[in-house]
Amino acid sequence: MKLTLKIWRQKDAGTKGKMVDYQVKDISEHMSFLEMMDVLNEQLVGKGEDPVAFDHDCREGICGMCSMYINGEAHGPDRGITTCQLHMRMFNDGDTITIEPFRAKAFPVIKDLVVDRTAFDRIQQAGAFISVNTSGNTQDANAIPISKHAADEAMDAATCIGCGACVASCKNSSAMLFVGAKVSQYALLPQGQVEAADRVRNMVAQMDLEGFGNCTNTGACEVECPKGISLENIARMNRELMKAAVNN
Amino acid sequence: MSGFFKSSIGRKVAMALSAFFLMIFLLQHFIINSLSVCSPDSFNEVSHFMGTNWLIQYLLQPVLIFGVVFHFVMGFVLELKNKGARDVKYVQNKGAANSSWMSRNMIWSGLAILAFIVLHFIDFWFPEINTKYIVGDTSGLLHNGEGFRYYEELHHKFESPLRVGAYVLAFVFLALHLMHGFTSAFQSIGATVGRKKIMKKLGMAYSVLIPLGFIIIALYHHFNH
Ligand code: HEM
Ligand code: SF4
Ligand code: FES
């Protein structure tokens, strides 16, 4: 395949960026999108130009690092995948592909397609944990009975990889699907109950502080999420926050 | 508790509560309007009761006005905050790939409704307030004293095709607003967990049937001259 790529180039956070056109050829339809980017970068390095910076790590849909906005959608046109799992067979010979970084005020660009998603880390640190004594006498988690339904839902919520596609896809740059998943993962389990009120309050407060938008319930996040995290998690988080407010 | 309503989620819950109030009001308004088609006499009587009962006039009416103003002011606040959360826009963004037009344009359907509310106030509310509280005529009777004036006034208003056109268009926007808004409000208060499908169906029924009903009533009065 021969492709035209329109890629956002930005030297660093302080410099203004712009879209730059590149041509790549001999792209196999079996390549992943990141491998296609590797081909481009080898070409650029060969010419002595600065390669396009992009985030990646596992290249198998687990780490959530690969954060590109491809042809107007987070992780491109396919569903239930990250960019590293996007195959070039989703495109046609001669296509023009637009590649931009995830856009949100809370996700500032570091360089080219790399954005700073540490806002998610700070939200996690605000409450996505349970405080247990790890002295060696910790109770076996399996000793506490949990219904199959609750266990399944908590597991589903826990599959969120913190990629930020929900924020990137949301017209409001809202992080509610991510935070909803993290809150739900604990709210559904008995171990999460003790700190439930503080958890949701602190995590939502941190989310607001980071400058993410509000939720309009458009559902774009759920559609674009590589892990199929359900909107119900947002409803559950709202309920948890209301519960925390009433009980206080 | 005050901290709650300052949070992003608290604002959405407040938005949803005002929307619930408006949706209940709309249902009530629809039922009374239907009387103008089925039974003009009952329509007159109910209108007179609503227009002169002090509890409705001095308590519920101000609450309603507050509800409407709160809803659209909060709508603007949310819209501005949300716009501000993305300082650099995408060069290419496919909103339609993952969300409905209605959900992405609540502010525009809302503004259309707001324009309608202004027109509606000029048409009915201001003349009503003028007659009752400035002229001081609370009898609810026609000038010649022969029966109540409400049905006559309503019927007369819908003579103009321009006005009927504006009303019909406004109700189309209301339907679009509610097609997303109804379910969204339940989602905001966390009531959709485990019952998303039924909520979507209920929302579709409410947001199509009620505005369509209003449209039919307006057309009925227009063509029944
Ligand atoms: C007066 C003009 C109006 C304006 C400017 C307006 C604006 C808005 C906006 C911008 C939203 C989305 C808020 C968000 O992003 O979360 C919204 C939501 C909503 N509106 Fe309106 N609106 C108006 C009138 C109405 C009326 C008359 C009704 C019902 C009879 C209504 C029902 C709803 C509902 C149910 C929601 C969803 C609430 C939620 O998501 O929690 N609106 N409105
Ligand atoms: S909810 Fe989905 S889209 Fe959002 S961070 Fe988690 S995995 Fe990514
Ligand atoms: S590189 Fe790890 S998910 Fe794509």
Side-chain angles (χ1 to χ4, degrees), chain A residues 34 55-66 82-85 161:
Chain A
L34 296 189
D55 258 329
H56 62 108
D57 188 13
C58 71
R59 295 207 175 199
E60 55 179 356
I62 301 171
C63 72
M65 283 307 284
C66 49
T82 50
T83 303
C84 57
Q85 295 172 300
I161 53 177

Side-chain angles (χ1 to χ4, degrees), chain B residues 3-141:
Chain B
F4 173 74
F5 282 111
K6 281 198 198 106
S7 72
S8 52
I9 294 174
R11 280 197 209 98
K12 278 296 310 206
V13 169
M15 189 75 188
L17 293 179
S18 69
F20 279 126
F21 176 70
L22 292 180
M23 288 193 292
I24 293 168
F25 164 76
L26 198 69
L27 191 65
Q28 171 269 134
H29 199 325
F30 173 69
I31 293 169
I32 295 179
N33 282 19
S34 324
L35 289 178
S36 74
V37 173
C38 322
S39 159
D41 286 341
S42 335
F43 175 74
N44 272 330
E45 266 161 45
V46 174
S47 299
H48 189 65
F49 170 77
M50 298 294 283
T52 50
N53 182 282
W54 68 270
L55 197 71
I56 291 170
Q57 285 296 302
Y58 297 116
L59 190 71
L60 291 187
Q61 185 161 267
V63 170
L64 173 64
I65 291 174
F66 173 79
V68 174
V69 173
F70 179 89
H71 183 81
F72 74 71
V73 169
M74 194 56 127
F76 293 145
V77 169
L78 288 173
E79 178 68 18
L80 287 178
K81 278 193 172 286
N82 294 341
K83 277 260 157 358
R86 176 164 294 138
D87 41 1
V88 184
K89 305 276 168 275
Y90 288 112
V91 172
Q92 191 186 1
N93 190 20
K94 281 197 191 130
N98 51 37
S99 54
S100 70
W101 186 91
M102 287 76 93
S103 71
R104 281 175 281 123
N105 293 283
M106 290 299 276
I107 192 69
W108 298 112
S109 51
L111 278 171
I113 300 169
L114 187 58
F116 165 78
I117 292 176
V118 172
L119 172 70
H120 197 51
F121 264 49
I122 295 170
D123 273 357
F124 290 97
W125 198 72
F126 290 134
E128 220 17 66
I129 294 296
N130 182 48
T131 310
K132 282 192 307 221
Y133 303 115
I134 296 173
V135 176
D137 174 11
T138 51
S139 71
L141 297 175

Side-chain angles (χ1 to χ4, degrees), chain A residues 129-130 183 185-197 199 240:
Chain A
F129 52 79
I130 54 167
V183 165
Q185 168 186 343
Y186 296 96
L188 284 158
L189 299 176
Q191 289 93 333
Q193 298 311 313
V194 186
E195 294 157 304
R199 173 178 306 111
E240 286 291 314

Side-chain angles (χ1 to χ4, degrees), chain A residues 1 16 20 30 50-51 68 104 138 148 166 202 210 247:
Chain A
M1 284 198 268
K16 248 187 99 166
V20 180
H30 303 302
D50 193 22
M68 294 176 198
T138 317
K148 170 93 169 73
C166 42
N202 294 340
E210 298 288 351
N247 291 343

Side-chain angles (χ1 to χ4, degrees), chain B residues 190-207:
Chain B
T192 44
V193 181
R195 40 180 116 85
K196 219 159 89 184
K197 278 210 181 101
I198 178 88
M199 282 297 167
K200 280 224 161 99
K201 279 190 192 144
L202 267 178
M204 204 40 96
Y206 181 96
S207 52

